[in-house]
Amino acid sequence: VLPIAFLLDAVRIGCDAWSTRLLLGERGRAIPWLVLFGGHVVGHGVMNVFPAGRSASEATKAALFHRHLGAAEALAMGASNQANTLFSSAVFSLACAAAAAIAMPDATLVTAIVVHFVVLFVSGVGMRLAATNRAVEAFFANRFPRVGAHLTRFAERSRETPIVAWGPVSAMVLGRLAQTIEYGLLAYAVGISMGPLEALAVQGVNLVAAAVGVLMPGQLGSSEAVFALAADALHTDEASAMTIALAAHLCALAWAVIGLVVLFAWRGRVTSSTTSEPVA
């Protein structure tokens, strides 16, 4: 099952890359597809090992793509992607909560997933309002005049997309669907009876675990703990529930290694192109 789970992670990375291309619109054409996907492989690896993984991932992608987009534009991309991730996870949480209520009726689990939806959606809206609001832009530009022009360009680029950009968010929702299939397969592999509703319920546990362990590097330990606590709701024992999280970590760490290799190749390519430029 692990090779299939590994490939489903690749599908999720591709969906995230597609979401970024949709978000950037015409600017996205400045980034070749292979470069865009490679940057998301690096970002995915960073997300799997760093605390506050998604934020670290978006910062990494902004650093990798700024040569193609410009610094302010790359930062606006990263901030919008972060908000879109929150929106997509929130939308998917509703499906997970409904499935859990039907297939695994446990009040604690369903409540946790619903709370997860509310927190993520409100956080996403807050991020987008802060990035696009002119009063917020003026506040920071006046207090940090040396970077005022960059802040203005960042805000202008952020305002080019609606508060909720449903195209990019939908691409990320497809990525969450691939992840749901992955976790359903892992749960089936450890002996849990699985169907579409049960797989969504397991994904709901995973989403809650990711939120609870957001400051833990790669959610190591925290996701196992949340799955263990949800063992009764999943109709299994603690060992089997924890094994789902451990197996997912194996795939995540494999992608972290691949991301590191891609990053070294990326740095070598950038260094080579820089040293080959003619000196004026």
Side-chain angles (χ1 to χ4, degrees), residues 146-200:
R146 295 183 63 180
V147 294
H150 298 289
L151 288 171
T152 297
R153 193 155 63 248
F154 167 84
E156 288 173 349
R157 296 295 175 262
S158 298
R159 282 193 286 268
E160 290 179 355
T161 54
I163 297 298
V164 182
W166 288 112
V169 169
S170 298
M172 287 188 175
V173 168
L174 289 177
R176 288 296 182 191
L177 178 59
Q179 189 183 44
T180 300
I181 297 171
E182 174 187 349
Y183 273 82
L185 285 173
L186 294 176
Y188 177 77
V190 300
I192 302 175
S193 178
M194 275 293 114
L197 294 178
E198 289 81 5
L200 282 167

Side-chain angles (χ1 to χ4, degrees), residues 29 64 75 78 84 121 123 132-133 139-140 165 174 178 202 225 228 233 242 264 268 272 280:
R29 299 180 185 276
L64 293 174
L75 287 173
N84 289 341
F121 194 83
S123 298
T132 58
N133 187 271
F139 176 84
F140 284 102
L174 289 177
V202 172
M242 289 175 65
F264 274 111
S272 175

Side-chain angles (χ1 to χ4, degrees), residues 8-238:
L8 286 167
D9 267 344
V11 173
R12 184 185 170 199
I13 296 170
C15 288
D16 282 354
W18 179 31
S19 174
T20 299
R21 174 60 64 85
L22 292 174
L23 176 71
L24 292 172
E26 289 300 318
R27 289 190 183 86
R29 299 180 185 276
I31 309 176
W33 172 253
L34 188 60
V35 173
L36 187 67
F37 183 78
H40 280 75
V41 169
V42 175
H44 192 75
V46 167
M47 180 178 67
N48 290 335
V49 295
F50 271 61
R54 193 71 201 202
S55 298
S57 171
E58 295 305 336
T60 300
K61 285 182 275 188
L64 293 174
F65 297 146
H66 84 277
R67 290 167 60 88
H68 298 275
L69 300 172
E73 289 78 2
L75 287 173
M77 175 206 73
S80 296
N81 268 341
Q82 176 72 65
N84 289 341
T85 300
L86 296 174
F87 288 134
S88 64
S89 296
V91 168
F92 215 85
S93 291
L94 285 180
C96 293
I102 297 170
M104 300 175 174
D106 181 278
T108 302
L109 175 59
V110 174
T111 301
I113 299 174
V114 171
V115 170
H116 177 267
F117 158 75
V118 173
V119 172
L120 263 63
F121 194 83
V122 171
S123 298
V125 170
M127 284 189 64
R128 290 294 294 145
L129 290 176
T132 58
N133 187 271
R134 296 184 185 277
V136 174
E137 173 196 345
F139 176 84
F140 284 102
N142 291 334
R143 279 155 182 76
F144 305 99
R146 295 183 63 180
V147 294
H150 298 289
L151 288 171
T152 297
R153 193 155 63 248
F154 167 84
E156 288 173 349
R157 296 295 175 262
S158 298
R159 282 193 286 268
E160 290 179 355
T161 54
I163 297 298
V164 182
W166 288 112
V169 169
S170 298
M172 287 188 175
V173 168
L174 289 177
R176 288 296 182 191
L177 178 59
Q179 189 183 44
T180 300
I181 297 171
E182 174 187 349
Y183 273 82
L185 285 173
L186 294 176
Y188 177 77
V190 300
I192 302 175
S193 178
M194 275 293 114
L197 294 178
E198 289 81 5
L200 282 167
V202 172
Q203 172 69 325
V205 176
N206 172 55
L207 293 175
V208 172
V212 170
V214 66
L215 296 180
M216 294 295 294
Q219 287 122 39
L220 289 169
S222 61
S223 60
E224 284 82 0
V226 172
F227 268 89
L229 290 171
D232 288 341
L234 297 177
H235 305 312
T236 189
D237 56 87
E238 291 183 0

